[in-house]
Amino acid sequence: MSRTDPRPTPPGAPEAPDCPACDAAPPASPLRRRAFLSRSALLGAAVAGAPAVLAGCGGGSGGGTGTAEDDYVPGSAELAVEIAPETPGVLYPEGYVGPKARDLEPFGDGTTEFTILSQVDPDMDMATNAYSELLEETTGVKVSYVTVPAGEDGRTKVNAIVAGGDLPHALMVGQDIFTPSEISIYGQQGMFLPLDRLIDENAPHVLDMFASFPDVRKQYTSPDGRMYAVPSMNDCYHCKAANVRTWINSRWLDGVGATAPESLEEFETLMDEFRGYSGKPEGSALVTTSAETMPNLLQFFLGSFLEMPELWVRRRGEKLEWIHQDPAFREGIIWLQGQFAAGNLDAGMFANTPEQYQKLGDAKDGPRFGIAYGYSTFHFAASVDYADPDNVGRIMTPMAPMSGPSGVRTLQWDHFSYGYPNFVITPDCPDPVQLIRWADHQFELTLTNSLRGRRGVGWDWATEGQKGIDGRQAVYQMLPTPEDATNQGWREWGPLYKSTDQRHGEAILDETPSGEPILYAGTQLVEPFATAKESGVPPLVYDLDQSAQIGEIETNLENHFTQSMADFGTGRKDAADDADWDAYITTATSIGVETYVQIKQAAYDALNP
């Protein structure tokens, strides 16, 4: 089984659900937000006894102490550690920007044992993991890992650890263990060290990333001007369009002799052709998705009526505004309810569970839908084999947005997600310098690649003439996984540096097919219609009170939107009726949408003083 995800499963690891990491990952679910609301109370209690000033927490060789110096200006300290020299013989395409292969030297004292929290997959043993062992060999730093399961169970266990106050020396909190707001709150309360001076004096590879991508430092700096987590870069190109990525059945298109529609008018014509197509499996839907991804699919169509950089808020100059009050948004909803009434859009999307949706994609007689939403193929299929041309992963292909009645043709494009704040160090750490250097070493290309296993087992350097995902000279190639290779790598939970060029430097090989070329081509297809960066809202950091309010309001807005779309889609209400539409707007107002926008505006203004 082969699947594609911004967080590839390393060789020898259990196959994991696709998603992405990216802290460019699919939108947080209402469950995730509700979990945060309960954590807000936990946060307040947990930090009550934390020291207000972290003094004397440093030590070790080569650099600052990591104390909370109020007057430290980020970027002002001199680097005390030189960047490692480049490894000769590694091929890079012209203009490559990203991590380089370097001749790293160990620096650890070999006596101090650090405790670091990490997520793990089932049957994964961090103590004997090949990448864990490679890290110790490369850095000289001894680590004992405190492990929690991936997903919601892991977040629950981390909550308990934080509440208990017995924190490890560091935590790898990427991939949704903590939000940027939570990291900022914990940091300002003294539970995490400020890392600016530590990075500036001891992390040349992290600074190399900052030099190439200066927005990263700003984006992951807290409102108090400090950085409390080393940000991992995962600049996933195909993730930028993934929130509304929509796929079309190429077999059905061939069966009716059509091409993908370029306009909503052509879409309606195609639906009539699909409806009469005798080659589609019995029980098929023309356009469908699951209930949890229904808003993503509807937003894809709404991009034909107005520019939607996200579902809720857009930016006009320096002011944020709620999108749903735009008359064009209502026009789009009226069109959508007409498509439900015509049978073009499947009302089953209001009830389909993720598993029911995947069963439609995994059907033995071919996918039972003509058009479907999917961040990647994992949304609409549980099992994908890219080597099989008759598999759903090859039959479904990404489609471009369509022009609407006024000529609008846009698609949400994430201009801001470079990665996620990842590695935090706690005041109990006996030597923060060693740990910041341990993280820094992983911003080198060989270690970043080795997340998939050691060189020679999971991957190797590319040869002259091999082409990467973007058609340029490849940098590295993935190797077929040996049958006896187990516990080889990590998923993207730890420090890493994956620029777009690094990701696209993977060689395209016939013997190891993947979905990456499909996603790359699909993203190129839609990029000309990307929403403007100026209309989008960058990731925002909230204080404790703001976080609790924004989470509760957004959860209630999501529920209101979901229920209202079901009402409009099934004919219980009519978006064209002024009374029904006014009721939709009025209810959102009573939920607190004005407060929601005000909080976001305040956080945006703090980010852009």
Side-chain angles (χ1 to χ4, degrees):
M1 180 171 62
S2 174
R3 293 184 295 181
T4 296
D5 175 347
R7 304 172 305 176
T9 302
E15 196 75 31
D18 298 295
C19 165
C22 315
D23 236 71
S29 67
L31 174 63
R32 175 72 181 99
R33 293 194 180 93
R34 286 195 291 273
F36 175 75
L37 297 182
S38 64
R39 289 164 63 152
S40 297
L42 169 67
L43 248 170
V47 299
V53 179
L54 308 174
C57 189
S61 57
T65 66
T67 58
E69 299 174 345
D70 291 339
D71 59 349
Y72 179 69
V73 178
S76 63
E78 291 187 11
L79 187 62
V81 178
E82 292 186 3
I83 195 167
E86 288 190 31
T87 302
V90 178
L91 302 173
Y92 302 98
E94 184 177 355
Y96 174 89
V97 178
K100 295 288 187 71
R102 299 184 181 276
D103 296 332
L104 300 174
E105 295 289 341
F107 56 85
D109 61 25
T111 59
T112 306
E113 184 173 80
F114 297 91
T115 55
I116 299 178
L117 182 140
S118 174
Q119 300 175 78
V120 291
D121 284 318
D123 301 324
M124 184 177 177
D125 183 354
M126 292 290 281
T128 60
N129 182 271
Y131 182 68
S132 303
E133 293 176 343
L134 177 63
L135 264 183
E136 183 169 338
E137 294 168 12
T138 307
T139 64
V141 175
K142 298 181 71 66
V143 174
S144 174
Y145 293 95
V146 178
T147 60
V148 299
E152 200 65 39
D153 288 345
R155 285 188 283 269
T156 300
K157 292 195 174 185
V158 173
N159 284 348
I161 292 171
V162 170
D166 186 18
L167 296 175
H169 298 142
L171 298 85
M172 295 188 289
V173 295
Q175 301 293 0
D176 210 26
I177 285 289
F178 292 141
T179 67
S181 296
E182 290 169 326
I183 290 172
S184 175
I185 294 165
Y186 279 130
Q188 291 179 62
Q189 294 293 337
M191 296 187 72
F192 300 150
L193 295 180
L195 302 181
D196 302 275
R197 181 185 285 275
L198 281 167
I199 290 173
D200 290 338
E201 294 181 343
N202 304 286
H205 303 95
V206 174
L207 292 177
D208 181 61
M209 179 191 72
F210 287 167
S212 296
F213 301 93
D215 286 348
V216 172
R217 185 161 198 165
K218 175 185 177 183
Q219 183 165 309
Y220 296 112
T221 293
S222 294
D224 67 348
R226 296 193 181 94
M227 178 175 285
Y228 294 104
V230 178
S232 284
M233 168 170 273
N234 197 352
D235 194 13
C236 169
Y237 173 68
H238 69 72
C239 300
K240 297 180 187 302
N243 194 51
V244 292
R245 178 171 289 124
T246 300
W247 306 66
I248 193 164
N249 191 317
S250 61
R251 291 287 173 85
W252 291 20
L253 284 175
D254 292 343
V256 301
T259 57
E262 300 286 332
S263 68
L264 295 183
E265 184 177 2
E266 291 181 8
F267 165 81
E268 294 184 36
T269 299
L270 180 64
M271 292 302 99
D272 289 336
E273 294 173 342
F274 276 0
R275 187 176 291 104
Y277 174 48
S278 60
K280 64 179 182 292
E282 185 177 350
S284 293
L286 300 186
V287 181
T288 196
T289 188
S290 67
E292 73 174 13
T293 57
M294 174 272 295
N296 305 74
L297 179 62
L298 297 192
Q299 188 184 334
F300 170 79
F301 287 104
L302 288 169
S304 299
F305 294 87
L306 75 168
E307 188 174 34
M308 294 188 67
E310 58 161 277
L311 184 57
W312 307 111
V313 175
R314 66 187 175 197
R315 180 162 51 106
R316 292 287 179 90
E318 296 302 301
K319 295 300 180 183
L320 309 188
E321 60 184 25
W322 187 40
I323 296 172
H324 297 204
Q325 289 179 309
D326 190 320
F329 180 84
R330 181 185 182 185
E331 182 185 1
I333 300 299
I334 292 171
W335 180 86
L336 284 169
Q337 72 178 16
Q339 299 307 303
F340 281 109
N344 294 341
L345 300 187
D346 173 34
M349 71 176 69
F350 298 122
N352 287 338
T353 66
E355 293 75 20
Q356 289 170 329
Y357 183 37
Q358 287 179 331
K359 285 181 179 179
L360 295 175
D362 290 330
K364 291 182 180 180
D365 47 1
R368 296 183 177 180
F369 38 64
I371 292 177
Y373 167 77
Y375 192 99
S376 184
T377 55
F378 69 87
H379 266 127
F380 56 72
S383 179
V384 174
D385 182 2
Y386 293 109
D388 181 4
D390 293 322
N391 186 267
V392 61
R394 294 279 295 275
I395 293 173
M396 300 302 295
T397 59
M399 64 181 291
M402 299 162 284
S403 61
S406 300
V408 176
R409 192 179 187 185
T410 65
L411 179 135
Q412 178 185 347
W413 187 272
D414 188 348
H415 293 274
F416 303 102
S417 289
Y418 296 103
Y420 36 87
N422 189 308
F423 185 73
V424 299
I425 301 176
T426 67
D428 288 335
C429 174
D431 189 346
V433 170
Q434 280 200 61
L435 279 196
I436 204 70
R437 294 193 66 188
W438 180 86
D440 179 69
H441 260 41
Q442 295 175 72
F443 281 67
E444 183 268 346
L445 181 59
T446 303
L447 284 179
T448 285
N449 285 352
S450 296
L451 286 167
R452 303 188 186 188
R454 286 179 180 263
R455 181 187 170 197
V457 178
W459 67 281
D460 207 340
W461 299 120
T463 59
E464 184 75 41
Q466 286 185 324
K467 298 299 182 183
I469 291 169
D470 60 4
R472 300 189 295 164
Q473 169 64 45
V475 180
Y476 58 95
Q477 57 181 307
M478 304 311 300
L479 302 178
T481 305
E483 291 184 4
D484 60 348
T486 60
N487 201 32
Q488 291 295 299
W490 295 0
R491 279 206 277 151
E492 294 169 354
W493 293 316
L496 56 87
Y497 178 12
K498 289 193 170 186
S499 64
T500 296
D501 282 352
Q502 185 276 338
R503 292 179 60 94
H504 291 171
E506 179 181 338
I508 301 301
L509 304 175
D510 291 339
E511 58 268 32
T512 55
S514 76
E516 287 286 345
I518 296 171
L519 292 171
Y520 177 77
T523 307
Q524 283 192 309
L525 175 70
V526 304
E527 187 172 7
F529 312 107
T531 53
K533 185 176 183 179
E534 293 74 19
S535 70
V537 181
L540 302 174
V541 177
Y542 308 105
D543 63 27
L544 187 59
D545 291 337
Q546 289 174 328
S547 294
Q549 288 187 75
I550 205 103
E552 182 176 8
I553 294 171
E554 188 160 312
T555 296
N556 292 334
L557 285 174
E558 285 178 341
N559 293 337
H560 173 52
F561 178 79
T562 298
Q563 182 59 55
S564 297
M565 293 308 104
D567 289 340
F568 294 139
T570 58
R572 290 192 294 267
K573 293 186 178 180
D574 182 3
D577 181 82
D578 289 343
D580 284 348
W581 187 253
D582 289 346
Y584 173 74
I585 298 297
T586 300
T587 301
T589 302
S590 66
I591 287 171
V593 70
E594 293 179 357
T595 301
Y596 178 80
V597 174
Q598 289 169 2
I599 292 172
K600 282 186 168 286
Q601 183 72 62
Y604 177 80
D605 291 343
L607 183 67
N608 300 276

